[in-house]
Amino acid sequence: MSTTPPAETFWPWPEGDTAHVPYRVFMDPELYRREQERIFQGPTWSYVGLEAEVPEEGSFRTTHIGEVPVILSRAKDGQVHVLINRCSHRGALVLHEACGKHKRFNCVYHQWGYDPDGTLRAVPFKNGVEGHGGYRGVDLDMKALSLRRLRVEVLNGLVFASFRDDTPPLREYLGGVWPQLTRVFDGRKLEVLGYLRQRVRANWKLYFENVKDPYHAGLLHLFVATFGLFRSTQRGETLAEPSGCGHLVSYKGGAEEHREEYEQQGISTYQKGYRLRAPELMRKLPDFKDDIAVSIQTIFPSLVIHRISNSIATRHVLPRDVNDFDLIWTLLGYADDPPALRNQRILQANLVGPSGYISLEDVEALEIVQRGIQGERGEAALVALGGTRVRYGEPERDLANETAIRGFWKTWRTLMEL
């Protein structure tokens, strides 16, 4: 029996179907608007930035949660805050620089001034001029007019925020992702090594599918298949959590031993004769006490974290519209890294990012999907590799399944009430 029903039967999306994803979810502006309310402003934890990016009082970075502009800042008492970047007076951005340090955050429009914790401190001409004008006779509640503070939790230097009080605590939200995540973010002081940024002409959800998808990695990426960093024949596991979080882990053992299978099947991304002019790129210095080659955690709805050899980075997914998102790569190390290890992390930044030896093909693949589904008439993608079920919290012990993708869509449907 065919697993693909006739066209024009996938919308409305059949209840309980986790093996098909209607292309409309990547195309519909109304669904995109609904996501802003139900997902990004819903009962989720959105990544905002790193404590290391706001080291001192008045330090800040501006970013977004969904389409909402926010400020990550550090206050006088040392606490980290996430504030909606919207002046209480007339709605202007209070801060429009990408980052910086100010004792007071002044809106350029009318100079209303806020402390780094969001408290409104200054309103020019509040009492008028020479007895005229101003806010006399108006109940100007400075406390109520402070910038809105979002609920914040910090995990070993990672800062998350939620619009909702009923969002489960972060530890509970992360579920089975917690152990892998805290192997990398283990409490050591972090150091930012650099940033990469790219605009991707595709729907943001395609990226979350991509990083939950071990199937493509050894088939799309010539570099990882050829140089043994990742092949589908390796040992590994994928995991889906009810929150939409998940992880993909591959282990070194098996990559070289099974290269014959790639040759026998004629998989073009394995090129036996290729060599590196700079083989030091693939050198792995002592770092973690495990044999993990690639570890990728996804924290729904806005964060991907990778450890690839000695490279560590966060990838921040920022939707722009239904057909576009920004991807911000923050390359990381630890403050106590010896110089050789820090240099190796910087060298391996060449593996990822907009022109990375590994990541280059991902963006092209997502953009050709977005172009390919234009004009769809109810068709859907097939995500039945490894079955049609979703096994929340139960790792799949292979790298030829789409379980984590199905888990992502089950969570998305629940939040969207579709």
Side-chain angles (χ1 to χ4, degrees):
M1 180 181 294
S2 173
T3 59
T4 307
E8 302 188 37
T9 62
F10 292 106
W11 199 265
W13 198 344
E15 185 176 355
D17 185 354
T18 60
H20 301 91
V21 179
Y23 294 133
R24 185 170 297 188
V25 302
F26 305 112
M27 306 275 296
D28 190 331
E30 182 54 40
L31 289 177
Y32 176 80
R33 287 189 288 270
R34 194 173 184 178
E35 288 172 340
Q36 302 306 311
E37 174 188 352
R38 300 197 176 206
I39 293 179
F40 293 99
Q41 296 182 47
T44 61
W45 284 106
S46 288
Y47 171 74
V48 179
L50 301 163
E51 281 194 300
E53 296 177 288
V54 287
E56 303 172 318
E57 176 190 354
S59 298
F60 68 87
R61 288 195 67 85
T62 57
T63 183
H64 290 77
I65 296 177
E67 290 189 334
V68 177
V70 297
I71 302 167
L72 170 64
S73 64
R74 191 177 293 273
K76 185 176 182 178
D77 63 359
Q79 292 297 307
V80 169
H81 295 273
V82 177
L83 314 168
I84 293 184
N85 190 6
R86 182 183 300 132
C87 184
S88 301
H89 178 217
R90 299 275 288 280
L93 293 174
V94 176
L95 296 175
H96 49 86
E97 309 100 314
C99 60
K101 180 181 176 184
H102 298 311
K103 185 176 182 179
R104 179 165 290 171
F105 300 162
N106 289 323
C107 174
V108 68
Y109 199 178
H110 298 94
Q111 294 296 306
W112 281 36
Y114 303 86
D115 281 349
D117 68 356
T119 302
L120 178 61
R121 292 297 185 189
V123 175
F125 305 115
K126 177 182 176 183
N127 297 316
V129 178
E130 296 181 354
H132 300 283
Y135 288 99
R136 291 176 302 155
V138 177
D139 183 15
L140 196 69
D141 187 336
M142 300 284 278
K143 183 177 180 180
L145 288 168
S146 296
L147 299 180
R148 181 181 172 186
R149 299 184 187 97
L150 300 183
R151 184 180 166 200
V152 170
E153 285 204 36
V154 180
L155 168 60
N156 294 345
L158 296 164
V159 182
F160 296 86
S162 179
F163 281 79
R164 296 270 292 268
D165 292 332
D166 61 345
T167 305
L170 184 62
R171 173 66 179 85
E172 179 183 338
Y173 183 82
L174 292 172
V177 176
W178 181 273
Q180 285 293 340
L181 186 60
T182 53
R183 286 168 75 94
V184 179
F185 294 89
D186 56 7
R188 283 182 284 174
K189 186 176 180 180
L190 298 169
E191 180 180 355
V192 176
L193 303 180
Y195 296 94
L196 301 165
R197 184 185 186 110
Q198 63 193 120
R199 173 65 58 89
V200 183
R201 306 297 183 184
N203 185 273
W204 68 275
K205 297 184 291 300
L206 286 171
Y207 192 71
F208 267 85
E209 282 194 331
N210 176 270
V211 292
K212 290 175 177 288
D213 171 21
Y215 188 32
H216 85 279
L219 301 173
L220 174 67
H221 300 304
L222 181 148
F223 188 92
V224 297
T226 297
F227 297 107
L229 193 57
F230 184 103
R231 295 195 188 118
S232 300
T233 48
Q234 289 176 247
R235 293 183 301 119
E237 66 179 42
T238 56
L239 175 74
E241 288 292 319
S243 62
C245 300
H247 76 232
L248 182 158
V249 178
S250 72
Y251 298 91
K252 268 195 170 181
E256 289 304 314
E257 293 88 332
H258 295 286
R259 65 180 183 270
E260 294 86 0
E261 295 182 25
Y262 269 60
E263 293 182 71
Q264 291 168 3
Q265 294 188 43
I267 295 174
S268 62
T269 46
Y270 176 69
Q271 296 292 332
K272 185 177 181 179
Y274 281 22
R275 298 290 184 271
L276 290 172
R277 289 186 178 179
E280 62 270 21
L281 177 67
M282 294 303 295
R283 181 177 57 182
K284 189 176 188 303
L285 298 182
D287 196 357
F288 295 91
K289 295 178 180 179
D290 57 40
D291 64 343
I292 294 175
V294 176
S295 172
I296 298 176
Q297 281 73 51
T298 56
I299 314 301
F300 183 84
S302 58
L303 176 64
V304 179
I305 292 167
H306 80 236
R307 175 161 71 89
I308 302 173
S309 194
N310 291 124
S311 172
I312 302 171
T314 63
R315 311 177 190 180
H316 195 181
V317 179
L318 298 175
R320 288 302 178 220
D321 62 37
V322 70
N323 296 305
D324 295 275
F325 68 91
D326 284 342
L327 186 57
I328 315 299
W329 306 70
T330 303
L331 305 166
L332 299 171
Y334 303 108
D336 61 357
D337 280 342
L341 181 54
R342 181 180 294 108
N343 290 338
Q344 190 65 9
R345 297 198 201 282
I346 294 171
L347 175 63
Q348 290 182 344
N350 289 287
L351 298 174
V352 297
S355 58
Y357 295 128
I358 299 173
S359 306
L360 182 65
E361 296 95 350
D362 283 321
V363 167
E364 177 66 14
L366 302 190
E367 292 186 347
I368 63 176
V369 169
Q370 194 73 22
R371 294 198 299 270
I373 62 178
Q374 299 297 314
E376 61 83 28
R377 298 181 58 205
E379 296 95 336
L382 177 65
V383 287
L385 193 68
T388 60
R389 295 177 52 201
V390 176
R391 296 182 179 90
Y392 281 145
E394 299 179 29
E396 297 282 357
R397 304 296 183 181
D398 67 84
L399 298 176
N401 71 81
E402 294 169 325
T403 297
I405 299 176
R406 292 191 292 273
F408 169 83
W409 285 111
K410 188 171 182 179
T411 298
W412 183 89
R413 292 190 70 174
T414 299
L415 289 168
M416 293 286 284
E417 297 184 359
L418 288 173

